[in-house]
Amino acid sequence: SLIFLCDDDTKVKTTAWNKFNCEGNSYMDWGGKLFNDLTTKKVVAIRFENGRTYDSYTYKLTLKEQTYFIEVGEAIANKRFVNGKCDD
């Protein structure tokens, strides 16, 4: 799971829908309410939680990083992006 802590103390959570794999890939749905919540608020911390052992790691974002998702939302709304491949 990924848990996003926003600057207004709300939390946004998403959970991987794929089964365990040795490559460490996690597939999550980024559309709808999750996308709307993340692109309208500053994110101050992101926590990754292992669903098997429940170990977790929390990353506190720098001030510059906190607006990343807002900037992504604006780029998509204004069609300022290019198609690419994740493996490139």
Side-chain angles (χ1 to χ4, degrees), residues 5-66:
L5 177 62
C6 299
D7 63 343
D8 64 355
D9 290 331
T10 60
K11 293 179 182 176
V12 179
K13 182 177 181 178
T14 185
T15 303
W17 50 261
N18 63 313
K19 293 183 179 184
F20 175 78
N21 63 72
C22 294
E23 292 83 32
N25 297 325
S26 294
Y27 300 103
M28 300 174 186
D29 294 322
W30 291 96
K33 184 172 177 359
L34 173 68
F35 183 79
N36 292 339
D37 287 346
L38 288 179
T39 57
T40 58
K41 302 175 183 182
K42 288 184 179 180
V43 176
V44 296
I46 302 172
R47 174 175 288 164
F48 171 78
E49 185 178 85
N50 178 322
R52 204 166 20 107
T53 63
Y54 298 101
D55 290 339
S56 66
Y57 172 77
T58 302
Y59 177 75
K60 294 183 181 181
L61 283 73
T62 66
L63 287 175
K64 185 177 180 181
E65 294 170 328
Q66 292 178 10

Side-chain angles (χ1 to χ4, degrees), residues 65-78:
E65 294 170 328
Q66 292 178 10
T67 59
Y68 174 80
F69 293 103
I70 294 171
E71 293 169 22
V72 168
E74 290 172 356
I76 291 172
N78 294 307

